[in-house]
Amino acid sequence: MKLGVIGSGAMGSGIGQVAAMAGWEVYLYDSNPEARSRALSQISESINKLVSKQKLTPELGVAAFGRIYACEQMQTMADADMVIEAIVEQVAAKKSVFEALEQVVSPTCIIATNTSSLSVTALASALQHPERFIGIHFFNPPVLMKLVEVIPAIQTDATLPMRIQKIIESWGKTALIAKDTPGFIVNKVARPFYSEAIRIYEEGLASPQEIDFIMMQHGFKMGPFALMDFIGHDVNYFVTESVWKAFYYDSKYKPSLAQLKLVEAGYLGRKKGRGFYDYSQELVSVSAVEDSLSKSVFMRIISMLVNEAVDTVYLGICTEEAVDLAVKLGVNYPKGLLEWGHELGMQQVVNTLDELYHFYHEERYRVCAGLRNLAKL
Ligand SMILES: NC(=O)c1ccc[n+]([C@@H]2O[C@H](COP(=O)([O-])OP(=O)(O)OC[C@H]3O[C@@H](n4cnc5c(N)ncnc54)[C@H](O)[C@@H]3O)[C@@H](O)[C@H]2O)c1
């Protein structure tokens, strides 16, 4: 089988490598020739690493690399079975790629986008045959991250999501189907992990060190502040802002001024040496927090997360199994959020949110209908 990849940056090169390791022939195209050669050297480096860690035999590594071709024109993809686009996150640029691509590929070639924040349905509207178009959202880095979200546009042929699911699973990944909704599954459901943590910090109720410590005590590999510093505040703020705007400015997704200030200052996190933490100084961690503070911080954040996960299922965006798998594989949560909610007791989660709602009189704390229903059971 033959895959075309358009845009050979961080995501495109990783996706190409995944497909090549699964036996597909891969044609990588990028409008920037330097990006094409950079992609080949990054793939070779990554394959060598997998071989040295004995995750891949040297023979399979050589064979996989031999199946990847950097090409100077999209024409080379004329007989591709599928093409995945991974260029810059801009609607106009993506649409013009799809228009050009449809002139090159066969009418049955599947065309996919790796967008993380744009409407798949809006992108599909650029195609003459939108029924063959779909979102295939890999996580960064594609070679290591197990999760892939598969997002049909409203124009997509009804049989395509399952076909894609099979292909992606044959590439060794877990593919979950999601409705075309802002943030899809993970980038929607995980928002409160960041936003509620920042809110607690903005109110002066606890420091980033304390909040990170509390969440790690509950099994998260990184606390929200360390994680935002790691992701980069430019990226994390952009995702929050785009989900908020796309949901018609629903206040539960509202970005925070504290994070905006970091972006404005250029304190983008680890990559700049400073974010919520200052990496030029020795980091002072917390080793104990008062019980009542620990309980209230954890319950606020986890209750907001459970509410969002239940709402996502209630609105038919994905299944119960998918929402729990998505956070475990996409953001490394120690447990699924529905599983966590049941363990804490859904009524307890409702009580926490109702108390916050009555205290603050803010919409962000509203309990979704699905959660009220579950709490009654
Ligand atoms: N980086 C992430 O964490 C991540 C995760 C999931 C999805 N995504 C999505 O994947 C896509 C690519 O992201 P990335 O991080 O790999 O970006 P990147 O900047 O690393 O790579 C983009 C590549 O596209 C090329 N390009 C730009 N316009 C082009 C065009 N018209 N034709 C051909 N090539 C073109 C650029 O030269 C560049 O090499 C975006 O839609 C992004 O939202 C990114």
Side-chain angles (χ1 to χ4, degrees):
M1 298 289 272
K2 191 165 163 181
L3 175 75
V5 178
I6 302 182
S8 65
M11 298 305 292
S13 61
I15 295 167
Q17 182 183 337
V18 167
M21 291 196 307
W24 282 51
E25 240 173 75
V26 175
Y27 289 79
L28 282 180
Y29 169 76
D30 197 294
S31 52
N32 175 0
E34 274 172 34
R36 294 198 294 261
S37 43
R38 209 177 315 125
L40 287 182
S41 52
Q42 273 162 4
I43 293 172
S44 149
E45 208 177 291
S46 164
I47 287 179
N48 287 341
K49 228 185 238 170
L50 293 174
V51 169
S52 69
K53 287 186 179 166
Q54 297 182 336
K55 293 197 168 150
L56 197 65
T57 64
E59 296 74 26
L60 288 178
V62 169
F65 192 69
R67 281 191 284 271
I68 301 176
Y69 308 91
C71 44
E72 287 175 18
Q73 294 174 346
M74 269 198 245
Q75 256 68 22
T76 321
M77 297 177 187
D79 60 345
D81 299 286
M82 175 158 89
V83 176
I84 302 180
E85 163 279 317
I87 69 160
V88 280
E89 191 74 336
Q90 286 166 12
V91 177
K94 286 188 192 284
K95 282 187 169 179
S96 65
V97 159
F98 300 134
E99 281 160 11
L101 185 64
E102 263 196 325
Q103 308 301 314
V104 170
V105 296
S106 80
T108 56
C109 172
I110 298 164
I111 301 182
T113 176
N114 185 49
T115 183
S116 43
S117 65
L118 304 173
S119 156
V120 179
T121 298
L123 295 176
S125 72
L127 279 87
Q128 282 171 12
H129 296 287
E131 65 283 351
R132 45 105 146 243
F133 187 77
I134 196 156
I136 306 183
H137 182 223
F138 283 80
F139 288 73
N140 192 13
V143 174
L144 299 182
M145 296 297 287
K146 266 273 191 206
L147 183 67
V148 176
E149 294 172 337
V150 175
I151 309 109
I154 65 167
Q155 304 95 316
T156 305
D157 181 284
T159 63
L160 191 55
M162 302 273 273
R163 281 168 61 204
I164 297 295
Q165 203 172 25
K166 277 207 186 114
I167 292 173
I168 299 297
E169 300 210 329
S170 77
W171 292 1
K173 303 288 175 192
T174 299
L176 303 176
I177 297 174
K179 233 190 210 173
D180 184 19
T181 315
F184 311 137
I185 311 175
V186 172
N187 280 339
K188 172 180 186 294
V189 172
R191 299 285 25 101
F193 188 63
Y194 316 109
S195 63
E196 195 55 20
I198 299 180
R199 173 64 189 257
I200 294 166
Y201 158 68
E202 280 181 327
E203 285 188 50
L205 302 174
S207 67
Q209 286 88 340
E210 288 171 323
I211 299 169
D212 279 355
F213 173 79
I214 293 165
M215 297 315 282
M216 286 173 74
Q217 292 281 91
H218 287 277
F220 287 91
K221 292 206 176 77
M222 284 173 111
F225 294 93
L227 183 55
M228 283 183 277
D229 274 2
F230 179 76
I231 294 169
H233 293 287
D234 45 349
V235 174
N236 191 260
Y237 183 86
F238 170 79
V239 176
T240 305
E241 191 185 40
S242 75
V243 169
W244 172 59
K245 284 184 178 167
F247 274 109
Y248 304 106
Y249 302 94
D250 186 334
S251 60
K252 71 176 168 169
Y253 303 115
K254 196 163 88 178
S256 75
L257 287 176
Q259 194 174 32
L260 176 63
K261 291 295 144 197
L262 292 181
V263 175
E264 287 173 345
Y267 296 165
L268 301 181
R270 268 181 184 275
K271 61 188 170 191
K272 293 285 178 188
R274 186 158 173 186
F276 282 110
Y277 295 104
D278 183 349
Y279 297 90
S280 65
Q281 312 281 324
E282 199 181 323
L283 295 179
V284 187
S285 53
V286 165
S287 55
V289 174
E290 219 182 273
D291 270 0
S292 61
L293 181 67
S294 175
K295 186 158 187 263
S296 75
V297 166
F298 172 67
M299 281 309 291
R300 263 177 91 148
I301 297 175
I302 201 73
S303 300
M304 292 291 276
L305 284 166
V306 171
N307 195 31
E308 196 59 41
V310 172
D311 198 37
T312 301
V313 174
Y314 184 72
L315 295 177
I317 294 166
C318 68
T319 64
E320 285 183 20
E321 298 73 40
V323 84
D324 272 5
L325 257 180
V327 293
K328 286 193 277 189
L329 300 179
V331 266
N332 289 323
Y333 286 3
K335 271 180 234 176
L337 292 168
L338 298 186
E339 186 191 345
W340 220 327
H342 285 299
E343 218 175 271
L344 292 165
M346 291 297 184
Q347 188 58 54
Q348 190 57 39
V349 175
V350 167
N351 294 346
T352 304
L353 293 172
D354 276 346
E355 270 173 34
L356 290 164
Y357 187 85
H358 290 307
F359 184 76
Y360 291 105
H361 291 274
E362 281 182 54
E363 272 292 296
R364 63 190 268 112
Y365 297 114
R366 70 185 186 268
V367 171
C368 76
L371 183 56
R372 284 214 192 272
N373 289 340
L374 278 182
K376 276 195 224 137
L377 296 177

